[in-house]
Amino acid sequence: MDAKARNCLLQHKEALERDIKTSYLMDHMISDQVLSLSEEEKIRNEPTQKKRAALLITVLLGKDNNSYISFYNALLHEGYKDLAFLLQKGLPLSSYNGKDPVDGVTSYVKTVLCEGGVPQRPVVFVTRKKLVKSIQEKLYKLNDEPGWVTVYGMAGCGKSVLAAEAVRDHNLLKTCFPEGVHWVSVGQQDKSGLLMKLQNLCTRLDQDGAFSQRLPLNLEEAKDRLRFLMLRKYPRSLLILDDIWDSWVLKAFDSHHQILLTSRDKSVTDAMMGPKYAVPVESGLRKEKGLEILALFVNMKKTDLPEQAHSIVKECKVVGRGHRGILADLLHQWNQPQ
C-alpha cells in the first residue's frame, strides 16, 4: 500500500474502529479476493465489534493498494458514506495493474461507479455485448466535447442496465471520463421534484461546500450552479440521466457537458445543442436470451434445461414487450404444473 493510502487509513483508524461492523465489509473484500477466508475467521473470532474492526484495519495496513480500494468500495456499498469520504483523499486510483478480473470490472471502475451512484448489476444479468459496445462507441465519439448519447426503447427493455454496463469499462473511464461519472435517476417530475433532483446533484458534486454553502432556490439558479460545478470541478466527467420523459426536464440538466441518457422517446434531445448519437434497444427477446434468463433464474445451465423450457420461451409473447414483462411470463409459465 502506498504512503498516501496508509497515512489516510492510520489518520482515521480510530473513527473506523469505533463505527464499522466488519461482517458485510469482509464479504465484499473476500469477493474482491483481497481478504482470505483464514483472515476473515481470525477477525470474526475477536470478542467485540471494536476489536474485530481494529484487527481488520491492522490486516488491511499490511496489504496493497487494491485492498484499500476494495475496503473503500465496501464502505460505500454498506452505507458508511461518511467514513468512505474520510478515506477518499487516500485513494490510489493509479494502482490498476493491467489484469482484468473475470467480469472485466477493475477496482478502479468499482470505485468510480460507487462514487457516482451507478447501480450495480442486477442479480440476474444477461449480457448484450453488441448493444453495450454500440453505446461505448458513441461515448468515445463525444471526445471531450459537449454532446448527447441517447439509449431509447420501450419500458422494461433494459435501457438502464445497458447504460450502467457501458461505463463498467476501465479504458473508457480513464480515456474519456477520468474525473468520474454522475448517475441521476430522473423519472417523471414536476418543477418541485426536478428542483430537488438538481439540488441533490449539486450537493453531491460539491460535498466540501467549496463553492457554496446554500442550496439553489429555484430551477434557474440550480441549472447555473450545475453548469458551474461541472465546468469547474468535473470538466472531464460523464453525467448519466436515467429515465428522461420530457425535453423541458432535460433542459434543466443541460450543462454544456457530456451526457448519456435513457428515454422511451428518441426525440427528447431534438431541441438540444451539440452532437447527438442514439442507440435503439429492441423490445423483443430472442430465443437464446430467453433460455439464458430462464436458466439463470432456476439456477441451471442452459444446456441442461428440459425440453419444456424451449416450449415456454416459444409460448411467451416475446415481441412487443419489455424484458421485465417477458421475464414475468417465463417464470409464470415455468411455475405452472406440467
Side-chain angles (χ1 to χ4, degrees):
M1 185 180 299
D2 65 28
K4 183 177 70 171
R6 183 179 178 83
N7 290 340
C8 194
L9 199 57
L10 288 170
Q11 180 183 352
H12 302 293
K13 187 172 185 287
E14 184 177 341
L16 291 165
E17 290 177 357
R18 183 182 62 244
D19 294 337
I20 65 172
K21 295 181 180 179
T22 58
S23 178
Y24 293 124
L25 297 175
M26 291 194 296
D27 287 344
H28 286 285
M29 297 174 73
I30 289 171
S31 177
D32 288 340
Q33 299 181 352
V34 300
L35 190 71
S36 69
L37 292 175
S38 60
E39 289 170 330
E40 180 201 27
E41 184 177 3
K42 186 176 180 181
I43 292 167
R44 285 185 186 277
N45 287 336
E46 290 294 315
T48 66
Q49 174 184 315
K50 187 170 182 178
K51 288 186 176 181
R52 288 191 288 272
L55 182 54
L56 176 59
I57 301 303
T58 300
V59 170
L60 186 59
L61 284 166
K63 292 182 176 290
D64 60 9
N65 287 344
N66 287 331
S67 302
Y68 184 97
I69 294 172
S70 175
F71 180 62
Y72 173 82
N73 290 336
L75 290 173
L76 283 174
H77 280 303
E78 294 304 321
Y80 296 105
K81 292 186 177 180
D82 291 341
L83 293 176
F85 182 71
L86 295 177
L87 299 186
Q88 193 174 45
K89 292 182 180 179
L91 280 173
L93 294 182
S94 61
S95 66
Y96 175 58
N97 57 16
K99 297 179 180 178
D100 288 329
V102 174
D103 63 359
V105 180
T106 65
S107 294
Y108 167 74
V109 171
K110 288 181 180 179
T111 299
V112 173
L113 300 193
C114 279
E115 290 180 339
V118 177
Q120 298 183 60
R121 283 173 174 163
V123 175
V124 175
F125 174 71
V126 179
T127 60
R128 288 186 278 177
K129 292 182 179 179
K130 288 184 178 180
L131 280 171
V132 170
K133 185 178 179 180
S134 179
I135 297 169
Q136 290 172 342
E137 288 173 348
K138 305 299 188 297
L139 290 172
Y140 274 112
K141 286 183 178 180
L142 293 181
N143 196 26
D144 295 333
E145 295 295 330
W148 310 81
V149 176
T150 303
V151 181
Y152 70 94
M154 68 177 297
C157 68
K159 302 182 295 295
S160 302
V161 174
L162 286 166
E165 195 61 22
V167 294
R168 292 186 214 281
D169 183 272
H170 184 94
N171 290 331
L172 176 68
L173 294 179
K174 275 289 190 182
T175 302
C176 298
F177 312 111
E179 292 174 341
V181 298
H182 314 286
W183 181 287
V184 183
S185 297
V186 182
Q188 282 186 300
Q189 297 295 338
D190 57 16
K191 288 186 177 181
S192 61
L194 179 58
L195 177 59
M196 187 176 297
K197 292 285 183 181
L198 287 164
Q199 288 173 334
N200 290 340
L201 178 58
C202 289
T203 300
R204 279 168 51 189
L205 296 175
D206 191 28
Q207 290 187 25
D208 55 6
F211 288 90
S212 178
Q213 299 290 333
R214 179 180 63 80
L215 288 175
L217 300 178
N218 54 60
L219 288 176
E220 195 63 34
E221 184 182 354
K223 181 179 177 180
D224 290 342
R225 179 84 59 85
L226 175 61
R227 182 188 299 112
F228 180 86
L229 288 169
M230 295 297 282
L231 292 176
R232 289 292 186 92
K233 295 188 74 171
Y234 305 96
R236 299 193 64 200
S237 66
L238 177 68
L239 180 60
I240 307 176
L241 305 175
D242 184 38
D243 195 21
I244 293 291
W245 284 64
D246 304 290
S247 58
W248 73 268
V249 170
L250 192 58
K251 287 179 181 179
F253 290 95
D254 185 4
S255 55
H256 301 289
H257 208 71
Q258 296 82 42
I259 296 178
L260 169 64
L261 64 104
T262 70
S263 179
R264 304 180 189 190
D265 182 4
K266 178 185 177 182
S267 66
V268 75
T269 61
D270 283 357
M272 303 297 127
M273 299 295 291
K276 306 179 187 74
Y277 306 97
V279 179
V281 182
E282 295 180 1
S283 57
L285 194 68
R286 296 180 183 276
K287 178 183 177 182
E288 289 304 308
K289 287 297 180 184
L291 290 171
E292 189 176 344
I293 289 175
L294 190 55
L296 285 168
F297 253 92
V298 298
N299 197 26
M300 295 176 65
K301 292 182 179 179
K302 189 167 68 172
T303 53
D304 293 337
L305 287 171
E307 186 61 34
Q308 72 185 72
H310 296 264
S311 300
I312 289 172
V313 173
K314 186 177 180 180
E315 288 174 13
C316 288
K317 298 177 180 179
V318 298
V319 177
R321 302 197 62 195
H323 290 175
R324 288 198 294 268
I326 295 167
L327 179 56
D329 282 348
L330 291 173
L331 296 178
H332 176 74
Q333 290 287 341
W334 179 267
N335 290 322
Q336 294 301 306
Q338 302 298 317

